[in-house]
Amino acid sequence: MAIYIFKRILLMIPTLFGIMLVNFVIVQFAPGGPIDQIIEQMSSSSSGVVSTRATGAAGEAGSSSLIDGGNNPASRGLDPELLAELEKQFGFDKPVHERFLLMIGSYITFDFGESYYQDKPVLDMVIERLPVSISLGLWSLLLIYMISIPLGVRKAVNDGTRFDIWTSAALFVGYAIPGFLFAVVLVIVFAGGSYFDWFPLRGLVSNNFEELSIFGKIKDYFWHLALPVTALTIGGFATLTMLTKNSFLEEIGKQFVLTARAKGLTEGRVMYGHVFRNAMLIVIAGFPAALIGILFTGSMLIEVIFSLNGIGLLGFEAVITRDYPIMFGTLFVFTAIGLVLHLIGDITYTLIDPRIDFETRD
């Protein structure tokens, strides 16, 4: 197994490089870069005041930017000397390939540059917001698996019964309605919208969090997490439940299950001693993708609705404002975490079923 892990780690390097290269090339053709926005501000306001702000913003960003942004229609009619100065301040005066190599070289040492508009190192911003996304993702995924696996097993055992039919109807509703819509309903009902004011609407902890006791901090933490985690759980457990049910149904019909029952084993021993290990393989296969989806995509709108400063919201805001250092810094972190999670998923395969040996595969 050690050799397989080593090979996978080596494979992560070109994979990560390729993903960064593809996204870098795509951004080259995307209009509305930071210089475009500065030019538009200069055109729509009094030239004296806004020019000072524009050049100040460019100066704060320095040369950490690695994306081309000056050769476009928005820059027509601007003083070429000012445009050249802005390009130099943002680092756009270098060739495309040189900017990309500089970016990769910096990222190897975890130097993601500074944000254009917030004057903070990107790495510090990612570290600052990562606990919020991890809290949402891990607690939501824990609840989803705790609900989905037992429910899916029971649906498989009671396939075709009233329980199976009614739970399938509820799952269909949960699958059809997106998580952010459930979040809006929860806000309206339980967060002071129109009915009850039981839960907070902002932040991960209260303002007086540091003054609370240990028990008070734990209570306050889960009090703030209750609604967003509930919204993510409701919107995410339907698919996993049906996947678990179908996986168990497939295993239940196999010959080794009939043999186990013929030997007089209890139904619980058959299900959890023989069927469970084989049926859970496909469920575990989706674990990395599920965690990545909740951490970096599914939680984004939840973070917006509940005013949680997570990494998903950070990346979304960077795309809107064309804050390229944050865009590529978060992309690098997302991709690296995703690759590691996929490797962890493969390792978990072997822990559940020792018969799987990746090193002996052809």
Side-chain angles (χ1 to χ4, degrees):
M1 191 63 182
I3 298 177
Y4 173 76
I5 294 175
F6 179 72
K7 290 180 179 179
R8 283 291 299 272
I9 293 175
L10 291 180
L11 185 61
M12 289 181 186
I13 298 175
T15 303
L16 185 59
F17 180 87
I19 292 174
M20 297 299 298
L21 177 61
V22 170
N23 284 272
F24 183 88
V25 172
I26 292 174
V27 171
Q28 300 302 307
F29 300 98
I35 292 182
D36 293 341
Q37 297 186 19
I38 291 175
I39 294 171
E40 188 170 344
Q41 291 178 7
M42 295 170 63
S43 302
S44 59
S45 303
S46 57
S47 59
V49 175
V50 181
S51 294
T52 303
R53 292 179 180 175
T55 53
E60 289 177 359
S63 60
S64 62
S65 173
L66 303 170
I67 309 298
D68 194 7
N71 299 323
N72 47 65
S75 63
R76 295 174 185 172
L78 186 69
D79 184 358
E81 294 183 0
L82 177 58
L83 178 59
E85 182 180 351
L86 288 173
E87 290 179 345
K88 184 176 181 180
Q89 288 175 331
F90 278 93
F92 297 151
D93 57 327
K94 299 181 179 64
V96 175
H97 68 279
E98 184 177 343
R99 291 196 297 272
F100 177 73
L101 293 177
L102 284 172
M103 181 180 72
I104 295 299
S106 299
Y107 284 8
I108 291 176
T109 60
F110 294 96
D111 178 11
F112 302 121
E114 291 189 356
S115 169
Y116 289 163
Y117 310 111
Q118 303 186 47
D119 195 24
K120 291 182 180 179
V122 174
L123 183 59
D124 291 348
M125 297 177 67
V126 171
I127 294 175
E128 179 183 348
R129 297 199 181 196
L130 195 57
V132 176
S133 296
I134 290 177
S135 295
L136 287 175
L138 289 182
W139 288 115
S140 300
L141 203 61
L142 178 63
L143 284 177
I144 288 172
Y145 270 75
M146 288 178 62
I147 295 172
S148 299
I149 293 176
L151 181 58
V153 173
R154 187 173 179 185
K155 284 176 65 63
V157 174
N158 298 278
D159 184 40
T161 63
R162 287 186 177 182
F163 174 82
D164 182 41
I165 294 173
W166 284 107
T167 53
S168 296
L171 291 173
F172 178 78
V173 173
Y175 180 79
I177 302 177
F180 73 87
L181 190 56
F182 278 116
V184 173
V185 173
L186 292 174
V187 169
I188 294 174
V189 177
F190 298 109
S194 300
Y195 299 94
F196 307 103
D197 190 9
W198 293 348
F199 296 94
L201 188 57
R202 291 181 172 274
L204 191 62
V205 294
S206 300
N207 294 330
N208 63 337
F209 182 77
E210 297 298 331
E211 302 173 3
L212 300 175
S213 63
I214 295 178
F215 177 76
K217 289 181 178 180
I218 296 174
K219 181 180 178 181
D220 182 76
Y221 171 73
F222 285 105
W223 183 47
H224 283 76
L225 274 179
L227 293 187
V229 168
T230 299
L232 282 172
T233 302
I234 292 175
F237 79 95
T239 302
L240 184 60
T241 300
M242 296 307 299
L243 179 65
T244 303
K245 175 192 173 182
N246 294 332
S247 179
F248 269 79
L249 283 177
E250 182 180 355
E251 293 296 324
I252 288 173
K254 292 184 177 180
Q255 184 63 41
F256 75 92
V257 176
L258 299 176
T259 303
R261 286 173 174 168
K263 290 181 179 179
L265 297 180
T266 63
E267 191 65 20
R269 181 69 181 277
V270 172
M271 292 299 298
Y272 292 98
H274 293 76
V275 176
F276 185 82
R277 185 175 64 180
N278 294 330
M280 285 301 296
L281 288 176
I282 190 172
V283 176
I284 292 174
F287 179 85
L291 182 57
I292 295 170
I294 290 179
L295 281 176
F296 307 129
T297 56
S299 64
M300 184 184 68
L301 290 177
I302 303 298
E303 291 173 5
V304 174
I305 294 172
F306 292 98
S307 300
L308 298 171
N309 291 323
I311 196 171
L313 180 59
L314 177 66
F316 175 75
E317 292 174 343
V319 173
I320 298 299
T321 60
R322 298 297 193 271
D323 200 337
Y324 294 131
I326 295 180
M327 282 177 56
F328 283 96
T330 53
L331 175 64
F332 185 88
V333 173
F334 293 171
T335 307
I337 293 177
L339 293 172
V340 172
L341 287 176
H342 280 292
L343 177 58
I344 293 175
D346 287 348
I347 296 174
T348 309
Y349 275 154
T350 62
L351 296 178
I352 292 181
D353 191 348
R355 294 173 300 175
I356 297 178
D357 187 0
F358 291 103
E359 291 184 3
T360 59
R361 292 188 309 176
D362 292 334

